[in-house]
């Protein structure tokens, strides 16, 4: 277990920015996407997580999301989320850029958080722009497969980024700025397959920074990382936080 080596790397390379993916939430019981047991092994993202699919058949897409939103509401932050919040509190992590929509980093206490793929916090009416908090969406889903807008009746869209949809501009700009300034970009639980987020490690390297990776399985940046730690994010990050006296 390379927690001591990773702890030394974080302490020696500040500011350290963390980029997380679905692998940081699997220990909270949330499926990831591309590991052998991932969601995309069962469902075609083009059919259930793309903007054209949502526009063509929003009810079909909501039937896919409905159980996921309910399950995400039940999930709890795990040791990885808590360790990252503790490292931020200790001044050793400047910010967390996350691809995850599950709100678990925020619930674990991370404050400087950039959600580049949106989140389940709200849903918006694509016709009139009305905004609905998650609780209102969940209440509507108790009565219908797809939540209608109170003002115009159109079916709401979850405020998560679908394939074929632009990322929130402010969030992605901030993510690239953080990666450029980072002396260490620590990637945790991401296959680094989906752009533009998968270009963040390049941003750090091009600016003279270093990359470290904690992941189960390979990523395209393994060969250019200062350190690659294979294993469970929870156990490894808990070890790193303990090494650095942040808990
Ligand atoms: N600890 C460490 N790594 C893990 C763990 C764990 N407990 N569990 C899973 N992993 C690894 C998987 O092996 C995989 O390599 O995390 C990685 C998760 O990769 P993906 O499933 O591709 O998730 P992510 O990189 O976040 O996907 C990016 O794709 O579908 C879109 O919008 C979706 O935000 C998502 C984006």
């Amino acid at each position: 277990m390379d927690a001591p080596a990773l702890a030394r790397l974080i302490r020696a390379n500040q500011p350290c920015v963390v980029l997380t993916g679905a692998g940081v939430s699997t220990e909270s019981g949330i499926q990831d996407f591309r590991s052998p047991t991932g969601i995309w092994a069962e469902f075609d993202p083009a059919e259930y997580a793309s903007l054209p699919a949502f526009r063509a058949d929003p009810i079909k897409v909501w039937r896919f999301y409905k159980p996921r939103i309910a399950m995400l509401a039940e999930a709890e932050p795990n040791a990885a989320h808590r360790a990252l919040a503790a490292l931020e509190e200790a001044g050793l992590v400047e910010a967390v850029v996350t691809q995850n929509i599950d709100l678990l980093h925020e619930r674990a206490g991370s404050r400087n958080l950039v959600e580049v793929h949106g989140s389940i916090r709200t849903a918006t009416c694509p016709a009139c722009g009305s905004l609905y908090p998650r609780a209102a969406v969940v209440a509507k889903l108790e009565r219908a497969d797809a939540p209608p807008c109170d003002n115009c009746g159109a079916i709401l869209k979850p405020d998560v980024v679908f394939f074929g949809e632009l990322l929130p501009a402010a969030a992605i700009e901030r993510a690239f700025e953080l990666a450029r300034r980072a002396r260490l970009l620590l990637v945790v639980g991401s296959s680094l397959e989906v752009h533009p987020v998968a270009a963040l490690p390049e941003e750090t390297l091009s600016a003279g920074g270093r990359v470290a990776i904690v992941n189960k399985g390979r990523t395209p940046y393994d060969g250019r990382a200062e350190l690659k730690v294979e294993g469970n994010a929870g156990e490894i990050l808990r070890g790193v936080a303990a090494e650095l006296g942040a808990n």
Side-chain angles (χ1 to χ4, degrees), residues 51 54-55 58 62 123-132 147-159:
L51 207 48
F54 181 78
R55 287 185 175 140
W62 270 107
T124 299
C125 176
C128 71
S130 303
L131 187 71
Y132 294 82
C149 174
D150 295 338
N151 301 323
C152 74
I155 291 179
L156 304 183
K157 177 185 170 303
D159 287 336

Side-chain angles (χ1 to χ4, degrees), residues 20-28 30-40 45 49 65 78 80 98-101 116-117 161-163 188-195 197 214-219 229-236:
T20 65
V24 87
S25 293
T26 54
E27 293 166 65
S28 297
I30 298 172
Q31 253 183 310
D32 63 13
F33 297 98
R34 292 173 188 79
S35 71
T37 55
I39 299 174
W40 300 149
Y65 262 101
N78 65 56
T98 189
Q99 300 171 87
N100 300 341
I101 62 167
V116 288
H117 287 169
V161 176
F162 282 163
F163 286 104
V188 183
S190 179
S191 61
L192 292 174
E193 297 274 342
V194 175
H195 286 270
V197 171
V214 173
N215 200 58
K216 279 201 291 198
R218 294 195 52 70
T219 81
V229 185
E230 276 284 337
N232 279 316
E235 177 196 358
I236 293 161

Side-chain angles (χ1 to χ4, degrees), residues 102-171:
D102 56 33
L103 304 179
L104 293 183
H105 282 300
E106 181 182 65
R107 288 174 56 199
S110 287
R111 290 283 163 268
N112 199 350
L113 185 60
V114 185
E115 295 169 330
V116 288
H117 287 169
S119 80
I120 55 171
R121 188 175 292 102
T122 55
T124 299
C125 176
C128 71
S130 303
L131 187 71
Y132 294 82
R134 176 172 55 156
V137 175
V138 170
K140 287 172 177 290
L141 288 171
E142 279 155 19
R143 299 190 299 276
D145 276 346
C149 174
D150 295 338
N151 301 323
C152 74
I155 291 179
L156 304 183
K157 177 185 170 303
D159 287 336
V160 299
V161 176
F162 282 163
F163 286 104
E165 190 176 7
L166 286 178
L167 276 66

